[in-house]
Amino acid sequence: MQKQVATLQTRKPLFGQLVIGPPGSGKTSYCSRMKTFLGKLEREVTVVNLDPANDNMEYESAIDIMQLVTVQDVMEQFGLGPNGALIYCMEFLEANFGWLLEQLKASSCKYFIFDCPGQVELYTHHNAMRNIFEKLDQLGYRLCTVHLVESHHCSEPHKFISTLLLSLHTMLQMGLPHVNVLSKADLLKEYESKLAFNVEYYTEVLDLNYLLECIEHSSIGGINRTKYKKLDAAIVSMVEDYGLVSFHLLDSNKDESLLRLKNAVDKANGYVYGAGEEQNVNTLLACAVGAETQTERMERDVDPYRS
C-alpha cells in the first residue's frame, strides 16, 4: 500500500465524483450529462459503473463492475434476492479492490465519475462502499460524494424530514466531502402549489420548527402524526444540531444548472485548487469563498422553475 501511495503522489492529482442516491433519483442520467458537459469544458472524464445491475447505461462506461460480477449471476448461483445479491457484489468488489485499482490506473484520465448502486443501505449501514472509497482516498484520489434525491420530496413535510435524515446519515457514514442535490428540479413547478414554503427554505434547510407545525395535525396513511410529535421533533433537532445538510438544485437538462453544481463539486473535492488548469483569479476566489450573493443564487436556481 505504501508503494502505491508513493507512486500516485508523483502523478498529477486524481479527482472523482461518487454519485449516489435512491433508485429513480437520476444518477445514471446525471453521470451521462455531466460527462458530456465537462467534455464541453475540455475536461477528460472516465465514467466508472459500480452498479452490478445497471442494464440501462446512458453513457459509454470505460470501467464496468459488470465485467467482474453481476447481480444476475449472483442471484442464480447463490439463490439470493436482488438486495442480498447486490450486497454480495459490493463485498466481492471490496475483496477484489485490486481489480478496480488496476482499471483506474490504466485510464489516461485524471477525473472520474463513479455511477454507484441505488440501495441506500449501502451508504447508511453497510461498510463495503465506504471501505472501497476510503482506500481510494488513501491512495490519493480526491473524492466527493454527490448525493441525489428527487426534489418532489419537498412537497410533503414528512418526506422532506425523511430526506434530511437520510442525507445526514449518509454524510456521517461515508465521511467524505459531500454535496447534497435535489434532482429533477424542472419538475418543481408541478409541485409548487404543494410547497409549504419557498424553495430557498428547502435548499438552505432553514428553521425546521415551521415544518413540524405543518405535519403536527396531518394524517399520513390514516396515521395521526400527533402521536409522533416528539419523535419528529427529535429528528429535526438532531439534523439542526449537526448543521451539515443543505441542498443544490439540479436540472440536468440545463447547462447552467450543471455548471453551478460542477462549481460546488470542484470546491468540495479540491479540483478548483489543485487540478493545474488555467483559471481566472476572480473566478477561483468566487468559487472558493462563495462570493455569489444569495439574491443572485436565488435568481439563478429558483426563478427558472417558477411561472
Side-chain angles (χ1 to χ4, degrees), residues 9-32:
Q9 286 177 340
T10 62
R11 298 170 54 185
K12 291 183 178 180
L14 301 167
F15 299 88
Q17 300 183 30
L18 310 172
V19 184
I20 67 175
S25 57
K27 298 184 297 298
T28 296
S29 295
Y30 167 78
C31 291
S32 175

Side-chain angles (χ1 to χ4, degrees), residues 28-41:
T28 296
S29 295
Y30 167 78
C31 291
S32 175
R33 290 165 188 167
M34 181 57 80
K35 179 181 186 299
T36 301
F37 176 74
L38 292 176
K40 296 178 182 178
L41 303 179

